[in-house]
Amino acid sequence: MNGRQYMKNQLPGILLHLLGLLALALFLAAGGTRLAGILFIAAVWMAAAACYLAAVYFYRKRRLDQLLSMADQLEERYLIAELMPVPKQAEEQVYYRILKMAEASMLDKIGDVRREQASYQEYIEQWIHEIKTPITAMQLLCETNRSDFTRELLAELEKVSRYTEQTLYYARSGYAYKDYSIREIQLGPVIHSAVADNKYLLRQNQVAVTVDPDGDSVFTDDKWVRFILNQLIGNAVKYKGAQPQLHFSVQKNGNSVLLSVHDNGIGIPDNDLPRIFEKGFTGQNGRRVQSATGIGLYLCKRLCGKLGIGLEVASDRFGTTVELAFRINDFVDGVKSRY
């Protein structure tokens, strides 16, 4: 609470005190009271009024500062009325009731939004699971009727499958902890599975793939890591250069296992690099590619944050390198070394 603003608010009361003091002084002077007595009475009056105003100011300031501190510590600040003590003054009780009414209204609105969001999310997940059936059926039909046309169709179906997976993971990214299972895995098989998911797309675009895995294992969710790799492969193909190449490597570096994905594509401009993880950001390269959505790397960053995986991107005119850093659990690693 600002002291100057407080004094401005108390100005009518101060003027009333001064008028009362002036009236008392005139009355005492008319009754023959000496000037010294009048000044003494005026000094006592003003001192008492000043002490009262100062006491009220410090009391209210301390109480309001406590309320502000409680509000700052709350994530849902609309619940501040639940922590506030019930005020004693009649005017403050009116404001307290207004806060309680606003809180109840806000909770009702939030409940409605959450129910609507849950219903929409349930519909999206159900739709994705339903659409996977015809996609799988079309892939099987193409596999059993091999031709140049069906090979091209399989590459497009891989794109459709990747986009549907992207939608599913986007819908689930808000509560990823309910859908992942952390266990010890080898990164090599996960890399090969991601490459197999995009084999027709890679073949259609004549992308040479090399894999150089290491024997170190990590603790993570293979399904989510596979999804992240699918997004990186899709980006590498989308922004490919001449004679496209894609190289995967895994190596141990200190207390981390690093999975690097390097391509020799057109690269990312320096001024776009700091923003590539922003939702919906496509940058200069995205404006050239009509299918760019700005969702893939955003999802990768978000999922890496949920899984505790470091994600770094370096790029120049010779290509782009994406590095996933899996931290080694020192306790588990020590137990394994003893046995």
PDB file of all heavy atoms in Angstrom, residues 74-87:
ATOM      1  N   LEU A  74       0.421 -18.440  -4.883  1.00  0.00           N
ATOM      2  CA  LEU A  74      -0.627 -19.312  -5.419  1.00  0.00           C
ATOM      3  C   LEU A  74      -0.481 -19.458  -6.927  1.00  0.00           C
ATOM      4  O   LEU A  74      -0.209 -18.484  -7.631  1.00  0.00           O
ATOM      5  CB  LEU A  74      -2.012 -18.730  -5.110  1.00  0.00           C
ATOM      6  CG  LEU A  74      -2.572 -18.935  -3.696  1.00  0.00           C
ATOM      7  CD1 LEU A  74      -3.901 -18.206  -3.576  1.00  0.00           C
ATOM      8  CD2 LEU A  74      -2.781 -20.412  -3.402  1.00  0.00           C
ATOM      9  N   GLU A  75      -0.653 -20.667  -7.427  1.00  0.00           N
ATOM     10  CA  GLU A  75      -0.714 -20.868  -8.872  1.00  0.00           C
ATOM     11  C   GLU A  75      -2.083 -20.444  -9.405  1.00  0.00           C
ATOM     12  O   GLU A  75      -2.183 -19.777 -10.429  1.00  0.00           O
ATOM     13  CB  GLU A  75      -0.457 -22.341  -9.214  1.00  0.00           C
ATOM     14  CG  GLU A  75       0.983 -22.765  -8.998  1.00  0.00           C
ATOM     15  CD  GLU A  75       1.234 -24.168  -9.503  1.00  0.00           C
ATOM     16  OE1 GLU A  75       0.407 -24.662 -10.292  1.00  0.00           O
ATOM     17  OE2 GLU A  75       2.250 -24.758  -9.120  1.00  0.00           O
ATOM     18  N   GLU A  76      -3.142 -20.834  -8.699  1.00  0.00           N
ATOM     19  CA  GLU A  76      -4.499 -20.427  -9.066  1.00  0.00           C
ATOM     20  C   GLU A  76      -4.890 -19.265  -8.162  1.00  0.00           C
ATOM     21  O   GLU A  76      -5.451 -19.460  -7.087  1.00  0.00           O
ATOM     22  CB  GLU A  76      -5.490 -21.590  -8.916  1.00  0.00           C
ATOM     23  CG  GLU A  76      -5.265 -22.749  -9.870  1.00  0.00           C
ATOM     24  CD  GLU A  76      -4.215 -23.707  -9.371  1.00  0.00           C
ATOM     25  OE1 GLU A  76      -3.774 -23.538  -8.219  1.00  0.00           O
ATOM     26  OE2 GLU A  76      -3.821 -24.625 -10.121  1.00  0.00           O
ATOM     27  N   ARG A  77      -4.601 -18.060  -8.605  1.00  0.00           N
ATOM     28  CA  ARG A  77      -4.789 -16.889  -7.747  1.00  0.00           C
ATOM     29  C   ARG A  77      -6.247 -16.541  -7.524  1.00  0.00           C
ATOM     30  O   ARG A  77      -6.571 -15.751  -6.638  1.00  0.00           O
ATOM     31  CB  ARG A  77      -4.030 -15.696  -8.334  1.00  0.00           C
ATOM     32  CG  ARG A  77      -2.529 -15.903  -8.263  1.00  0.00           C
ATOM     33  CD  ARG A  77      -1.744 -14.795  -8.902  1.00  0.00           C
ATOM     34  NE  ARG A  77      -0.316 -15.097  -8.841  1.00  0.00           N
ATOM     35  CZ  ARG A  77       0.620 -14.397  -9.461  1.00  0.00           C
ATOM     36  NH1 ARG A  77       0.296 -13.365 -10.210  1.00  0.00           N
ATOM     37  NH2 ARG A  77       1.902 -14.727  -9.350  1.00  0.00           N
ATOM     38  N   TYR A  78      -7.117 -17.124  -8.326  1.00  0.00           N
ATOM     39  CA  TYR A  78      -8.535 -16.885  -8.097  1.00  0.00           C
ATOM     40  C   TYR A  78      -9.020 -17.562  -6.818  1.00  0.00           C
ATOM     41  O   TYR A  78     -10.140 -17.320  -6.365  1.00  0.00           O
ATOM     42  CB  TYR A  78      -9.361 -17.364  -9.299  1.00  0.00           C
ATOM     43  CG  TYR A  78      -9.108 -18.797  -9.697  1.00  0.00           C
ATOM     44  CD1 TYR A  78      -9.783 -19.842  -9.088  1.00  0.00           C
ATOM     45  CD2 TYR A  78      -8.174 -19.114 -10.676  1.00  0.00           C
ATOM     46  CE1 TYR A  78      -9.551 -21.147  -9.436  1.00  0.00           C
ATOM     47  CE2 TYR A  78      -7.932 -20.427 -11.034  1.00  0.00           C
ATOM     48  CZ  TYR A  78      -8.616 -21.435 -10.415  1.00  0.00           C
ATOM     49  OH  TYR A  78      -8.358 -22.742 -10.766  1.00  0.00           O
ATOM     50  N   LEU A  79      -8.170 -18.394  -6.203  1.00  0.00           N
ATOM     51  CA  LEU A  79      -8.527 -19.060  -4.941  1.00  0.00           C
ATOM     52  C   LEU A  79      -8.068 -18.276  -3.717  1.00  0.00           C
ATOM     53  O   LEU A  79      -8.089 -18.802  -2.597  1.00  0.00           O
ATOM     54  CB  LEU A  79      -7.913 -20.460  -4.907  1.00  0.00           C
ATOM     55  CG  LEU A  79      -8.412 -21.456  -5.958  1.00  0.00           C
ATOM     56  CD1 LEU A  79      -7.651 -22.762  -5.863  1.00  0.00           C
ATOM     57  CD2 LEU A  79      -9.911 -21.700  -5.808  1.00  0.00           C
ATOM     58  N   ILE A  80      -7.642 -17.023  -3.892  1.00  0.00           N
ATOM     59  CA  ILE A  80      -7.116 -16.236  -2.779  1.00  0.00           C
ATOM     60  C   ILE A  80      -8.151 -16.063  -1.668  1.00  0.00           C
ATOM     61  O   ILE A  80      -7.810 -15.985  -0.492  1.00  0.00           O
ATOM     62  CB  ILE A  80      -6.623 -14.853  -3.283  1.00  0.00           C
ATOM     63  CG1 ILE A  80      -5.999 -14.038  -2.151  1.00  0.00           C
ATOM     64  CG2 ILE A  80      -7.753 -14.088  -3.944  1.00  0.00           C
ATOM     65  CD1 ILE A  80      -4.773 -14.674  -1.554  1.00  0.00           C
ATOM     66  N   ALA A  81      -9.444 -16.037  -2.030  1.00  0.00           N
ATOM     67  CA  ALA A  81     -10.486 -15.862  -1.016  1.00  0.00           C
ATOM     68  C   ALA A  81     -10.515 -17.019  -0.029  1.00  0.00           C
ATOM     69  O   ALA A  81     -10.959 -16.858   1.118  1.00  0.00           O
ATOM     70  CB  ALA A  81     -11.851 -15.700  -1.681  1.00  0.00           C
ATOM     71  N   GLU A  82     -10.041 -18.214  -0.448  1.00  0.00           N
ATOM     72  CA  GLU A  82     -10.013 -19.363   0.453  1.00  0.00           C
ATOM     73  C   GLU A  82      -8.983 -19.181   1.573  1.00  0.00           C
ATOM     74  O   GLU A  82      -9.121 -19.766   2.651  1.00  0.00           O
ATOM     75  CB  GLU A  82      -9.708 -20.638  -0.329  1.00  0.00           C
ATOM     76  CG  GLU A  82     -10.770 -21.010  -1.345  1.00  0.00           C
ATOM     77  CD  GLU A  82     -12.089 -21.356  -0.684  1.00  0.00           C
ATOM     78  OE1 GLU A  82     -12.065 -21.942   0.414  1.00  0.00           O
ATOM     79  OE2 GLU A  82     -13.139 -21.034  -1.266  1.00  0.00           O
ATOM     80  N   LEU A  83      -7.937 -18.396   1.303  1.00  0.00           N
ATOM     81  CA  LEU A  83      -6.882 -18.190   2.291  1.00  0.00           C
ATOM     82  C   LEU A  83      -7.072 -16.917   3.101  1.00  0.00           C
ATOM     83  O   LEU A  83      -6.445 -16.751   4.142  1.00  0.00           O
ATOM     84  CB  LEU A  83      -5.510 -18.141   1.591  1.00  0.00           C
ATOM     85  CG  LEU A  83      -5.117 -19.389   0.791  1.00  0.00           C
ATOM     86  CD1 LEU A  83      -3.755 -19.191   0.145  1.00  0.00           C
ATOM     87  CD2 LEU A  83      -5.079 -20.610   1.698  1.00  0.00           C
ATOM     88  N   MET A  84      -7.897 -16.014   2.624  1.00  0.00           N
ATOM     89  CA  MET A  84      -8.094 -14.747   3.314  1.00  0.00           C
ATOM     90  C   MET A  84      -8.879 -14.945   4.604  1.00  0.00           C
ATOM     91  O   MET A  84      -9.857 -15.696   4.633  1.00  0.00           O
ATOM     92  CB  MET A  84      -8.853 -13.769   2.409  1.00  0.00           C
ATOM     93  CG  MET A  84      -8.070 -13.225   1.246  1.00  0.00           C
ATOM     94  SD  MET A  84      -9.101 -12.153   0.201  1.00  0.00           S
ATOM     95  CE  MET A  84      -9.613 -10.924   1.421  1.00  0.00           C
ATOM     96  N   PRO A  85      -8.464 -14.283   5.684  1.00  0.00           N
ATOM     97  CA  PRO A  85      -9.319 -14.283   6.883  1.00  0.00           C
ATOM     98  C   PRO A  85     -10.568 -13.445   6.629  1.00  0.00           C
ATOM     99  O   PRO A  85     -10.543 -12.479   5.862  1.00  0.00           O
ATOM    100  CB  PRO A  85      -8.421 -13.627   7.947  1.00  0.00           C
ATOM    101  CG  PRO A  85      -7.441 -12.793   7.170  1.00  0.00           C
ATOM    102  CD  PRO A  85      -7.229 -13.508   5.876  1.00  0.00           C
ATOM    103  N   VAL A  86     -11.660 -13.814   7.253  1.00  0.00           N
ATOM    104  CA  VAL A  86     -12.909 -13.069   7.075  1.00  0.00           C
ATOM    105  C   VAL A  86     -12.746 -11.688   7.706  1.00  0.00           C
ATOM    106  O   VAL A  86     -12.429 -11.579   8.893  1.00  0.00           O
ATOM    107  CB  VAL A  86     -14.092 -13.807   7.713  1.00  0.00           C
ATOM    108  CG1 VAL A  86     -15.374 -13.017   7.530  1.00  0.00           C
ATOM    109  CG2 VAL A  86     -14.238 -15.192   7.103  1.00  0.00           C
ATOM    110  N   PRO A  87     -12.894 -10.610   6.920  1.00  0.00           N
ATOM    111  CA  PRO A  87     -12.692  -9.263   7.475  1.00  0.00           C
ATOM    112  C   PRO A  87     -13.781  -8.905   8.485  1.00  0.00           C
ATOM    113  O   PRO A  87     -14.888  -9.443   8.456  1.00  0.00           O
ATOM    114  CB  PRO A  87     -12.749  -8.363   6.235  1.00  0.00           C
ATOM    115  CG  PRO A  87     -13.525  -9.134   5.227  1.00  0.00           C
ATOM    116  CD  PRO A  87     -13.233 -10.585   5.496  1.00  0.00           C
TER     117      PRO A  87
END
